[in-house]
Amino acid sequence: MEQTSISPFQMFCLVACFVVGTTFIMMPNATIGDAKQFGWLVHLWGTLVGVLVGSVWIYISGKHPGLSLVQILNRIFGHYAGAVISVCYIIFFIQMAAWVTRNVSDYMHVTMMPRTPPTVFHLMTLGVCAYAAVKGIRSISLVSIFIVPYITLSFWLPYSVMLNEWEWRNFRIPNDFQLWPILSETTYAIGFPFLETVACMMIFPLVRTKLKSAVFGGTAFGGIQIALSVFFAIGILGVYRSSHLLYPKYTIFREMEFSSFFEHLESIISINMLLVVFVKLSAIYYFAVTAICQVFAIRNRAVVAIPLIGIISAYSLLFSNIAENAKWIHDYLFIYYVPFGIGFPVLMVVFTWLRKGRGESTA
């Protein structure tokens, strides 16, 4: 465990960046396509579930103070079984890092640099994140403190320019509206990004006070930002257009007109949005590196961080195109995330209770 601490506000900003991350890029067209004008409700529902599931993670951390996720697994399940589950989480962290890396390269390749090979984006992005992981989580969290307020302003102020395109009729409720079938069809919006935040258990011990308010606040803040962004996309572009665009947010920024002097502001705003993604990817990278170091008793993070650049870059090429990636998210992501975000944590709670009961009986 890194010998440092982070403040509740740093944790709040880090969790907010983790939740927002690539969700701004990947989710709007999918949830609008499935839930139509109620796509923003899907993300509010996901935020509520994310807070409820997060309370389980905080409960576990409270029962094992001062221990990270990997250390808690070893304490509850023993050295061998705990190590096996920890390796599963390490693979999970590496996969998340690879998917985020791929999302960044796809976005940059499609919107701004179509002639640049994706591997160039992978190596540049992962090189920065590897350096951040070696520097430590405190450096990443300090960056997030500056990123969150700046991104909030730079992202939402331009929307005021597009309010003249707003149409309330885009939210007209159809006669055959059924809420629960829509929510059941969009469970991927719960897995991505809210079940991913289980990775933050790696740094729960570093927050000395107000951990619960920091995690819940960051989750709620990030989820509401996502819901609002989908709400604005529907109001400005409409359901049909938003659901058929690959990146609705980019289209909104591209169609903004401040004056004839300012052009292509969408590129500037897109770069600003990617700052949040870099914070998320740096955090995931750090979690993966730290977990590997704790499982295999490695003291030098650089020994692990540098080789991971090649592994994550290669793994990010698993999907051949954006459509294949989107289909996997829609059909399988929630099922794949449930064991890591809900299954293992519930087992940890049960085994904690059993160990406590056994100890009281022995006493």
Side-chain angles (χ1 to χ4, degrees):
M1 177 64 65
E2 188 175 351
Q3 298 300 317
T4 187
S5 63
I6 59 178
S7 68
F9 185 63
Q10 288 173 319
M11 189 67 180
F12 168 87
C13 293
L14 195 61
V15 173
C17 290
F18 206 94
V19 169
V20 172
T22 51
T23 313
F24 268 154
I25 299 174
M26 296 295 295
M27 284 290 101
N29 66 332
T31 51
I32 295 173
D34 290 331
K36 305 305 185 237
Q37 60 267 45
F38 302 100
W40 60 281
L41 285 176
V42 170
H43 294 287
L44 289 181
W45 166 247
T47 302
L48 176 61
V49 175
V51 170
L52 293 176
V53 176
S55 64
V56 177
W57 307 334
I58 293 175
Y59 175 82
I60 296 170
S61 182
K63 291 296 181 180
H64 304 275
L67 300 181
S68 69
L69 173 61
V70 169
Q71 293 168 336
I72 294 173
L73 289 171
N74 288 336
R75 181 177 181 180
I76 294 176
F77 298 105
H79 178 71
Y80 296 105
V84 171
I85 300 175
S86 297
V87 170
C88 292
Y89 271 103
I90 290 171
I91 296 173
F92 179 55
F93 297 160
I94 292 175
Q95 287 175 327
M96 282 196 294
W99 293 333
V100 173
T101 303
R102 179 58 183 269
N103 293 339
V104 171
S105 66
D106 285 341
Y107 182 79
M108 294 292 292
H109 183 76
V110 170
T111 59
M112 285 179 279
M113 301 180 184
R115 296 184 180 180
T116 304
T119 306
V120 174
F121 297 118
H122 297 170
L123 297 178
M124 292 174 61
T125 302
L126 292 172
V128 173
C129 294
Y131 175 77
V134 173
K135 295 299 290 184
I137 193 62
R138 183 172 176 80
S139 300
I140 299 171
S141 63
L142 287 173
V143 172
S144 69
I145 289 180
F146 294 97
I147 294 296
V148 169
Y150 169 70
I151 292 300
T152 302
L153 291 175
S154 65
F155 184 79
W156 289 112
L157 285 180
Y159 268 105
S160 60
V161 180
M162 295 298 293
L163 288 179
N164 59 341
E165 303 291 335
W166 189 274
E167 292 287 349
W168 282 109
R169 63 183 178 182
N170 294 334
F171 297 94
R172 192 173 299 166
I173 301 176
N175 296 328
D176 59 345
F177 168 69
Q178 294 180 338
L179 179 61
W180 289 111
I182 290 176
L183 295 180
S184 64
E185 189 179 353
T186 55
T187 51
Y188 56 84
I190 298 175
F192 178 43
F194 298 104
L195 293 186
E196 291 181 340
T197 51
V198 67
C200 294
M201 286 185 69
M202 291 296 302
I203 58 171
F204 277 6
L206 303 181
V207 184
R208 309 302 184 190
T209 60
K210 300 180 180 179
L211 174 63
K212 184 183 299 184
S213 59
V215 175
F216 289 171
T219 302
F221 179 80
I224 291 172
Q225 297 298 306
I226 298 168
L228 285 175
S229 69
V230 174
F231 184 79
F232 272 76
I234 296 171
I236 295 172
L237 297 178
V239 172
Y240 180 83
R241 193 178 178 200
S242 297
S243 61
H244 286 77
L245 290 170
L246 186 58
Y247 302 117
K249 303 301 172 189
Y250 181 81
T251 301
I252 292 175
F253 296 143
R254 187 179 59 192
E255 294 179 356
M256 289 188 307
E257 292 184 5
F258 283 98
S259 67
S260 58
F261 180 75
F262 294 102
E263 293 183 355
H264 299 294
L265 290 175
E266 70 277 4
S267 298
I268 298 175
I269 299 175
S270 296
I271 295 300
N272 291 340
M273 291 172 58
L274 290 177
L275 293 176
V276 180
V277 180
F278 270 76
V279 173
K280 176 177 181 177
L281 183 56
S282 298
I284 299 174
Y285 206 107
Y286 172 83
F287 299 152
V289 170
T290 304
I292 293 173
C293 290
Q294 290 179 356
V295 171
F296 298 101
I298 302 174
R299 294 187 176 183
N300 189 350
R301 287 199 297 269
V303 174
V304 179
I306 295 175
L308 272 183
I309 295 176
I311 296 173
I312 295 175
S313 178
Y315 197 97
S316 63
L317 298 174
L318 174 65
F319 299 109
S320 58
N321 52 58
I322 300 175
E324 185 177 321
N325 186 8
K327 179 174 175 56
W328 192 92
I329 292 174
H330 186 278
D331 295 341
Y332 306 109
L333 182 137
F334 178 73
I335 298 173
Y336 181 72
Y337 276 13
V338 164
F340 298 100
I342 300 176
F344 287 131
V346 169
L347 279 179
M348 292 162 70
V349 171
V350 172
F351 273 74
T352 299
W353 288 345
L354 291 176
R355 289 170 63 92
K356 181 179 178 181
R358 186 181 304 172
E360 291 178 351
S361 299
T362 303

